[in-house]
Amino acid sequence: MAVNFEYNGVTYKNAIELTRAMPLLTSVMVGYYDGAEVLLANAGALCYDTVQVAHDPETLQPNKIGKRITTHCRDSHHNTVIEHGAATFVKKVPIFVARQDLRARHASFDERSLRYCRATDGSLTYFIPHYYSDRFIQSADEKGLSHYADELRLQRDEWIEDHERAIQRYSRYTDDELNGMWDALGLNPERVRETQRSRLPVGINTVYMDTRNLWSWIHHSEKRLCLRAQDEIRRLRRQEVNQLAKVFPTVFGDVNMPCYMAGGCPEAKKCGLIQLDETGKWALPYLKRKNSTK
Ligand SMILES: Cc1cc2nc3c(=O)[nH]c(=O)nc-3n(C[C@H](O)[C@H](O)[C@H](O)COP(=O)(O)OP(=O)(O)OC[C@H]3O[C@@H](n4cnc5c(N)ncnc54)[C@H](O)[C@@H]3O)c2cc1C
């Protein structure tokens, strides 16, 4: 397993320091099964006595047998072959994103506990929607929608006030200085801290480590890369797929939205944005529209 606590070119001494440096809505690969793709190719080859498969990365070159077996198994949903590899990410996301992330069940998680950790160190940050950014509000002004721009400024102030107040009160009532009071009242300060968490809004950050086998990462990625998924979790998934493709190019090189992978939309309710060309591989109208709005 290769382990690396690096973000933006800086290597941190452990996962905690890494998460402190990560901005909200970030997922960083901190571990992966080095050489897993060779193992996957050999797992597939074992099924068919394909003795031509090699034990080195050469077998994963274009048109080589190891690459063909691996992608055949992946695309035929011979999932167990793909399960022999694994990767671990550390994430810092709002709680409402984490709740969606944790729904995909084939994973091992460890999450920062607010029973044991303190908020007073500034580690609790919170999500602010893009439509409250200066840039967005300014663009509303420029479009002659000053009335709505003013409304957005007001809403943003309230948003910040709500979150800051929740964090401040949560910090105050979970402070060690109050331990004497809770003790005197016959209450366990740890239990009090647990219940005080309910003061915090779901836009507050949480941090956790998420390990999955490669099949599970593919399944999870495809589901949440779908344009019907919430933007915030889709952005997270995109970051993860990009990092997975760097270390596992055979398996993840072309992992994308489910309609690309299945050659058509598997959802009953369509996004209405994607129309695949006759090869089933390219969503031309969507790509054109996306590029024209850059
Ligand atoms: C766009 C989008 C919108 C969503 N909206 C909602 C929503 O409004 N409300 C909501 O509650 N959820 C929602 N979800 C979550 C969704 O319903 C699934 O719970 C989530 O995507 C996990 O899917 P999964 O079960 O296939 O994945 P995993 O949990 O990773 O499981 C992978 C596969 O393993 C198998 N498996 C796992 N556990 C079992 C089991 N116990 N029994 C049998 N087979 C099993 C199944 O084949 C499953 O497909 C949404 C998901 C998406 C992508």
Side-chain angles (χ1 to χ4, degrees), residues 97-252:
V97 171
R99 283 179 61 182
Q100 296 175 41
D101 208 24
L102 307 191
R103 290 300 305 278
R105 294 159 282 182
H106 297 279
S108 303
F109 301 109
D110 281 292
E111 184 173 13
R112 183 174 190 253
S113 164
L114 285 183
R115 184 203 277 198
Y116 301 111
C117 307
R118 290 293 184 277
T120 42
D121 61 359
S123 59
L124 281 188
T125 53
Y126 52 91
F127 171 75
I128 302 181
H130 79 281
Y131 47 82
Y132 290 153
S133 67
D134 283 339
R135 196 166 150 209
F136 189 91
I137 295 177
Q138 213 175 319
S139 75
D141 265 330
E142 283 160 11
K143 284 180 197 151
L145 300 171
S146 299
H147 174 67
Y148 291 133
D150 288 343
E151 169 66 22
L152 286 176
R153 281 190 196 93
L154 197 74
Q155 288 185 18
R156 179 174 64 186
D157 290 349
E158 283 178 1
W159 183 283
I160 291 171
E161 187 187 305
D162 289 348
H163 285 79
E164 294 289 343
R165 190 171 53 190
I167 292 173
Q168 190 251 331
R169 290 202 169 149
Y170 165 81
S171 305
R172 191 187 324 150
Y173 300 131
T174 56
D175 196 284
D176 281 345
E177 280 184 13
L178 291 184
N179 284 357
M181 173 180 127
W182 304 125
D183 283 340
L185 291 167
L187 294 166
N188 179 339
E190 271 185 16
R191 298 280 171 218
V192 171
R193 277 202 290 279
E194 278 177 337
T195 51
Q196 289 295 327
R197 284 186 288 198
S198 328
R199 287 183 180 275
L200 298 170
V202 293
I204 226 93
N205 80 39
T206 182
V207 296
Y208 54 97
M209 198 177 274
D210 178 351
T211 300
R212 295 167 194 264
N213 69 50
L214 298 189
W215 173 81
S216 182
W217 280 120
I218 293 177
H219 182 75
H220 194 24
S221 302
E222 283 186 21
K223 289 243 169 204
R224 300 287 180 172
L225 285 175
C226 174
L227 292 183
R228 301 244 324 127
Q230 186 169 351
D231 277 351
E232 283 70 32
I233 191 147
R234 201 151 52 79
R235 276 168 50 199
L236 200 72
R237 215 52 351 106
R238 187 59 74 188
Q239 292 174 28
E240 288 163 359
V241 168
N242 290 345
Q243 293 173 73
L244 286 160
K246 275 194 188 138
V247 293
F248 302 122
T250 307
V251 178
F252 282 91

Side-chain angles (χ1 to χ4, degrees), residues 48 69 72-83 215:
Y48 316 118
I69 288 179
H72 164 78
C73 289
R74 184 197 66 179
D75 296 341
S76 311
H77 305 293
H78 297 175
N79 300 335
T80 45
V81 168
I82 311 303
E83 289 169 18
W215 173 81

